[in-house]
Amino acid sequence: MKLVVLTGAGISAESGLRTFRGNNGLWENEKIEDVATPEGYYRDKARVRNFYNSLRVGLPNYKPNAAHFALAKLEERLGDDFLLVTQNVDDLHERAGSKRVLHMHGALKQLRCEANESHVFNFDGEETAETKCPFCGAPTRPHIVWFGEIPLYMDKIENALLHTKEFAYIGTSSVVYPAAGFKQLAKHYKAHVTCLNLEVDREDRNTDAFLEGKASEVVPTWCENFK
Ligand code: APR
């Protein structure tokens, strides 16, 4: 494995999608405990379904930016030596041409069965209490990993970090684990670690290189020069 990339909400910021923290962040209007925890969901399913319905239905209004396209091109060039992991639940990586994207926090354009978490299916539109799992007929829930739940694909991600030569994290505040700990794991396994972010913490001991700036500006150049 030559390169593992982790992206966060910051890569989609210039596409117009709100990030979670920082000015006008999503968590300024909505409380995490109300719309991003299992407890919030079982307390008020309609409210949580509608929160994700509005994000899902709004997706076509937002277009991938140069950073998404650059990562898709890099995947084409590196093939199986490249792994893209995203914390994002939007579909901008796929719409930019990325073929293999591990959505470790789930995806807006999928739903999950309430009764069997392996029943996951593509879904567009508005989920309601009448939406049923196509596999078993049980009610559904957003296919989003909420706080207190285990992120997806952790075995694949950890294995990739064990063997990768380079790890880069793009557009993430690195405050939510386990994603925030990937750079430490990569560093522990002797990878070279690069941060590409609007704001960087140059004191970070687990990062070797810092590219400070907007994703659409710093990511394409970094991808083109990646060997
Ligand atoms: N280019 C690059 N980076 C940017 C840009 C930009 N145009 N705009 C903002 N950023 C950076 C911010 O400086 C910040 O470090 O993107 C980061 C966004 O941080 P968050 O809003 O915390 O998003 P993220 O790190 O993806 O959140 C992680 O938290 O709420 C959960 O599940 C949710 O996946 C999310 C997780």
Side-chain angles (χ1 to χ4, degrees):
M1 184 65 72
K2 272 196 185 148
L3 171 64
V4 176
V5 167
L6 170 73
T7 62
I11 198 169
S12 300
E14 289 156 270
S15 299
L17 278 170
R18 292 167 71 181
T19 60
F20 293 96
R21 298 164 186 86
N23 55 344
N24 189 33
L26 261 177
W27 298 143
E28 277 173 21
N29 303 52
E30 295 285 349
K31 287 214 203 85
I32 286 177
E33 52 272 29
D34 290 339
V35 293
T37 61
E39 297 74 15
Y41 173 68
Y42 286 103
R43 203 170 36 244
D44 187 346
K45 291 186 181 182
R47 171 178 185 176
V48 174
R49 286 185 175 130
N50 288 334
F51 175 70
Y52 293 100
N53 284 341
S54 59
L55 294 175
R56 181 183 309 110
V57 168
L59 274 179
N61 303 322
Y62 304 98
K63 308 281 179 259
N65 64 59
H68 297 104
F69 287 109
L71 287 172
K73 260 171 78 180
L74 191 57
E75 177 190 87
E76 233 172 85
R77 179 157 64 88
L78 297 182
D80 291 342
D81 272 333
F82 175 79
L83 179 65
L84 176 59
V85 181
T86 186
Q87 299 172 91
N88 300 340
V89 293
D90 64 58
D91 61 346
L92 297 184
H93 281 304
E94 289 83 354
R95 285 165 58 199
S98 289
K99 300 275 180 289
R100 293 189 322 279
V101 188
L102 294 188
H103 282 270
M104 64 179 288
H105 289 169
L108 281 171
K109 297 191 79 171
Q110 288 182 305
L111 293 184
R112 182 193 305 176
C113 174
E114 264 191 17
N116 183 328
E117 63 180 19
S118 68
H119 294 174
V120 176
F121 57 100
N122 294 332
F123 182 81
D124 219 340
E126 315 230 340
E127 182 193 14
T128 69
E130 283 62 51
T131 307
K132 293 291 176 251
C133 169
F135 300 102
C136 71
T140 61
R141 54 163 275 184
H143 182 48
I144 301 291
V145 176
W146 288 320
F147 286 90
E149 296 185 319
I150 308 283
L152 307 169
Y153 311 110
M154 287 306 291
D155 49 349
K156 273 192 195 162
I157 296 167
E158 282 163 353
N159 186 48
L161 292 172
L162 203 65
H163 299 104
T164 191
K165 291 190 179 41
E166 174 86 29
F167 173 68
Y169 55 106
I170 303 173
T172 180
S173 58
S174 299
V175 296
V176 175
Y177 285 79
F182 290 173
K183 57 186 172 180
Q184 191 174 12
L185 209 54
K187 194 87 195 118
H188 176 71
Y189 292 117
K190 308 285 176 262
H192 179 268
V193 178
T194 303
C195 170
L196 299 93
N197 206 59
L198 194 61
E199 301 143 296
V200 298
D201 168 11
R202 293 184 189 282
E203 303 304 309
D204 184 275
R205 284 177 301 109
N206 294 305
T207 304
D208 301 296
F210 299 90
L211 292 174
E212 191 167 17
K214 290 183 174 179
S216 67
E217 289 162 14
V218 298
V219 173
T221 314
W222 182 77
C223 287
E224 277 147 39
N225 297 331
F226 185 82
K227 295 279 174 287

